[in-house]
């Protein structure tokens, strides 16, 4: 991930805006989302190689200021390929049941390990569950 000056050369964009202002401009971003959300990472990938090609990250600026940084960290992390949230581990950026009192502004030790596994050279895009599990076990043995 690299910050650039010219948006024409970018492939991931963070949009900091109120949902009601953005939705008419990008209705597809909110397709099938009827609940209130603080942010969303919309990722596109090559269906043959499974490599991520680009991402749009929306952050609702109407949420409490303390939550904005947490949401940015979570959505950027999801945009690099870690899409699911967890119902355990309240100190994780992936924690599902965040409330205003749970602010996560840095990765937990577990988060860092998950990111290292995902971007380990042995972990290839497009692995099915069994193959991914096998590779993870190989990585963890070392």
């Amino acid at each position: 991930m690299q910050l650039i000056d010219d948006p024409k050369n970018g492939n991931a964009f963070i949009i900091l805006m109120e949902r009601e202002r953005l939705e008419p401009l990008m209705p597809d971003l909110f397709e099938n989302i009827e609940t209130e959300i603080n942010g969303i990472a919309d990722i596109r990938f090559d269906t043959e190689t499974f490599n991520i090609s680009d991402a749009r990250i929306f952050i609702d600026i109407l949420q409490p200021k303390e939550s904005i940084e947490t949401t940015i960290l979570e959505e950027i992390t999801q945009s690099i390929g870690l899409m699911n949230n967890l119902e355990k581990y309240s100190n994780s950026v992936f924690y599902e049941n965040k409330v205003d009192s749970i602010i996560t502004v840095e990765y937990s030790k577990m988060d860092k390990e998950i990111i290292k596994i995902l971007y380990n050279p042995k972990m290839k895009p497009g692995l099915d569950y069994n193959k991914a599990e096998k590779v993870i076990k190989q990585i963890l043995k070392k």
Side-chain angles (χ1 to χ4, degrees):
M1 195 171 284
Q2 179 180 344
L3 185 60
I4 59 169
D5 293 327
D6 186 354
K8 293 176 193 158
N9 297 324
N11 62 353
F13 299 92
I14 300 175
I15 304 157
L16 301 161
M17 184 180 277
E18 301 96 350
R19 178 178 175 169
E20 72 176 37
R21 286 188 54 214
L22 182 60
E23 200 160 3
L25 302 173
M26 296 181 168
D28 63 310
L29 186 62
F30 300 97
E31 222 168 40
N32 302 319
I33 299 176
E34 297 175 16
T35 60
E36 209 174 293
I37 57 170
N38 290 336
I40 188 168
D42 176 43
I43 298 154
R44 291 182 220 157
F45 59 92
D46 184 302
T47 56
E48 290 181 24
T49 66
F50 298 98
N51 287 316
I52 296 170
S53 58
D54 60 276
R56 298 181 297 176
I57 302 165
F58 160 69
I59 308 296
D60 190 341
I61 60 171
L62 294 181
Q63 65 183 302
K65 288 182 182 183
E66 301 79 33
S67 300
I68 290 175
E69 192 172 355
T70 297
T71 305
I72 290 171
L73 183 63
E74 176 185 0
E75 300 305 337
I76 287 174
T77 306
Q78 291 189 339
S79 78
I80 64 169
L82 296 166
M83 293 301 298
N84 294 327
N85 288 329
L86 305 168
E87 292 185 18
K88 297 182 185 181
Y89 313 111
S90 62
N91 67 331
S92 171
V93 71
F94 305 110
Y95 186 57
E96 174 79 21
N97 301 313
K98 286 188 180 88
V99 293
D100 292 340
S101 62
I102 298 176
I103 303 299
T104 309
V105 294
E106 58 185 49
Y107 294 120
S108 69
K109 184 177 180 183
M110 180 189 69
D111 295 338
K112 291 175 187 176
E113 292 302 316
I114 291 170
I115 293 167
K116 284 179 189 176
I117 289 170
L118 177 67
Y119 280 90
N120 185 293
K122 291 181 180 179
M123 186 63 71
K124 303 292 181 198
L127 294 178
D128 65 25
Y129 179 85
N130 292 329
K131 290 178 184 173
E133 183 178 43
K134 191 175 183 178
V135 171
I136 290 168
K137 287 179 181 178
Q138 289 173 359
I139 293 167
L140 293 177
K141 280 184 183 179
K142 293 186 175 190

